Amino acid sequence: MPRTTRSKQSPPPPPPYLRIVADIRRRVADGELAPGDRVPSTRQIAREWGVALATATKALARLGREGVVEARPRVGTVVAGPAKEPRPRGEHPLEAAPRRLPPPPELLTRERIVEAAVEIADAEGLAALSMRGVAARLGVAAMSPYRYVDSKEDLVLLMADAAFGEAEYPDAATFPDDWRARVELGTRTLWRLYRKHPWLAQLHPLSRPLMLPNLMVHAEWMLSALDGHGLDPVTMFDLHVLLYGYVQGLAVNLEREEQAAASTGLTEDEWLDGQAAAMERIVTSPRFPVVGRVITGLGDGYDLDLDALLEFGLRPLLDGIAVMVEAGAEGASDAGT
C-alpha cells in the first residue's frame, strides 16, 4: 500500500480584531496617526473592516491595554502621547508667530476679562468658568478682575452680550418684502452663534429672557421681518419666541454632548456602540412594533446631525408661518376695503 504524506497546513490567519490592531498600530508607527489624533471609532472600524461592533470594540480595548490609544475627556479615543500643535502649512519655525503674553496688570480692561472668559467657556464649558480661572488665564492677581466686574454672574451677562454682538445683519433693504428670507437669515445667524459658543444656550429659559442690547438686535431683526403683514403684536411676538426657542432647544444639546463626552470619555459614536444590546432588545420587543420597524429601517446610515435637523425643522415651521402671514395680509386688505 503506497505511503501517503500529509501536506503541511498553513497556520490559521489571526483573528479579525488582531488584524485591526496591527493596522492601527502600523498607522501610528508610520506617522499617519500622530499623538493626539482621533483614531477610528468602533462604528468606523466596523464599516471599514466589515466586522461586528463587538470585534471593533475588542480591537480598541486591546490597543488601549497596549498603551497605543487612550480616552481623553471632551475628545474621545486618540493616539496616546502629547499632542503637538500643528504648524501652518509652509510656515518656517523661525517665522512662527510668538505666543501671546498676558497683558500687564496696568493694561487690564473689562474687555480683556470678557474675552478671556469667553475663551474659557468656549474651550471647557461654562461650568469651568471662575473669576480665579480668568485671572490665571490673564496672568494677573486672583482678585484683579473684581476691579472691573462685580461678580461671576455679571461676567456671564457681559460674555453673552459680547457673543451675541458678533452677529452681523445686512441692511433690511436687501430683502424688500421678503419676510421669509429675513427670518431664515436670522435663524441661521443665531444657530451659528450657538455653534461657536455652545454655552450660550444654557443661560436662560424662554420665560426669563436676557435683557441684553446685542440680543435685542436679533429680536429687532426678526420682529421687523414679521412686521407689516397684518399680524397682531401678540402673534408676532409668539412667532419670534417660537423660532428663538426652536434654535435654542436644539443648541442646548451642543454643550450637553461635550459634557457627556467629558464625563464618560466616550465620543457619541462610542457611546451609541455601547447601547447596541439595549437597542436590540427594544427593536425586537413586541411592545414597540413601530419603533422597531422604523429603527430597523434606518440601518447604519442614520446620523443625528443637528445642523441638518435644524434645516429640516425650519422648513415646515416657516411653511406654517406663511399661512398665518397670508391670512394676516388678507385680513388687513379686507379691513382696508
Side-chain angles (χ1 to χ4, degrees), residues 48-123:
E48 180 179 345
W49 286 82
V51 297
L53 292 175
T55 301
T57 302
K58 191 174 182 180
L60 286 178
R62 175 66 175 265
L63 289 165
R65 289 195 299 271
E66 294 179 357
V68 179
V69 302
E70 61 185 9
R72 289 187 180 172
R74 304 181 70 84
V75 178
T77 303
V78 301
V79 178
K84 296 181 179 179
E85 293 186 6
R87 184 184 303 140
R89 186 182 297 274
E91 179 183 75
H92 190 277
L94 295 180
E95 297 173 347
R99 290 173 178 259
R100 185 175 63 178
L101 298 176
E106 64 271 15
L107 296 182
L108 192 62
T109 62
R110 173 180 286 188
E111 289 72 23
R112 285 180 178 271
I113 292 169
V114 171
E115 180 183 0
V118 169
E119 290 173 355
I120 292 172
D122 286 349

Side-chain angles (χ1 to χ4, degrees), residues 17-331:
Y17 87 93
L18 286 181
R19 296 201 298 272
I20 297 168
V21 168
D23 182 67
I24 294 179
R25 199 189 291 126
R26 177 195 58 76
R27 296 187 200 182
V28 173
D30 292 348
E32 184 179 339
L33 291 172
D37 284 352
R38 284 276 301 275
V39 299
S41 68
T42 50
R43 185 175 297 178
Q44 290 171 326
I45 290 174
R47 286 197 292 259
E48 180 179 345
W49 286 82
V51 297
L53 292 175
T55 301
T57 302
K58 191 174 182 180
L60 286 178
R62 175 66 175 265
L63 289 165
R65 289 195 299 271
E66 294 179 357
V68 179
V69 302
E70 61 185 9
R72 289 187 180 172
R74 304 181 70 84
V75 178
T77 303
V78 301
V79 178
K84 296 181 179 179
E85 293 186 6
R87 184 184 303 140
R89 186 182 297 274
E91 179 183 75
H92 190 277
L94 295 180
E95 297 173 347
R99 290 173 178 259
R100 185 175 63 178
L101 298 176
E106 64 271 15
L107 296 182
L108 192 62
T109 62
R110 173 180 286 188
E111 289 72 23
R112 285 180 178 271
I113 292 169
V114 171
E115 180 183 0
V118 169
E119 290 173 355
I120 292 172
D122 286 349
E124 304 175 48
L126 199 61
L129 180 69
S130 69
M131 298 291 277
R132 184 178 295 274
V134 172
R137 189 177 190 88
L138 291 171
V140 297
M143 300 302 292
S144 295
Y146 286 101
R147 303 206 318 260
Y148 302 88
V149 181
D150 291 337
S151 65
K152 177 183 172 180
E153 291 72 22
D154 289 343
L155 176 58
V156 170
L157 291 178
L158 291 169
M159 292 163 57
D161 195 47
F164 284 120
E166 296 174 12
E168 295 183 357
Y169 297 95
D171 189 330
T174 311
F175 302 91
D177 300 323
D178 193 345
W179 68 267
R180 184 163 184 147
R182 291 190 62 185
V183 169
E184 286 179 348
L185 187 148
T187 302
R188 291 177 181 132
T189 298
L190 185 64
W191 176 252
R192 284 195 297 271
L193 283 178
Y194 284 135
R195 264 290 188 195
K196 185 177 180 182
H197 307 292
W199 49 271
L200 270 178
Q202 311 291 329
L203 295 186
H204 67 102
L206 286 177
S207 56
R208 301 189 181 191
L210 298 174
M211 296 296 119
L212 302 174
N214 284 323
L215 182 54
M216 293 305 106
V217 172
H218 171 77
E220 180 69 20
W221 175 267
M222 298 294 277
L223 288 171
S224 61
L226 298 170
D227 193 23
H229 296 283
L231 302 175
D232 62 84
V234 173
T235 300
M236 286 174 57
F237 201 77
D238 280 349
L239 291 174
H240 162 55
V241 173
L242 176 66
L243 289 162
Y244 183 88
Y246 171 63
V247 179
Q248 185 192 47
L250 288 178
V252 293
N253 296 285
L254 299 171
E255 177 93 337
R256 289 177 182 174
E257 171 56 31
E258 292 184 0
Q259 291 169 348
S263 62
T264 64
L266 300 174
T267 65
E268 181 184 349
D269 279 350
E270 290 165 342
W271 183 86
L272 285 171
D273 292 344
Q275 307 302 307
M279 182 65 71
E280 181 66 21
R281 288 194 296 270
I282 290 173
V283 168
T284 57
S285 170
R287 292 182 60 197
F288 314 112
V290 179
V291 171
R293 174 165 52 81
V294 172
I295 291 178
T296 301
L298 294 176
D300 294 329
Y302 181 80
D303 287 315
L304 183 57
D305 184 325
L306 291 179
D307 296 288
L309 191 60
L310 176 92
E311 293 296 331
F312 176 80
L314 183 58
R315 191 183 314 117
L317 263 177
L318 295 180
D319 288 346
I321 294 174
V323 174
M324 301 176 71
V325 168
E326 290 171 5
E330 290 176 3

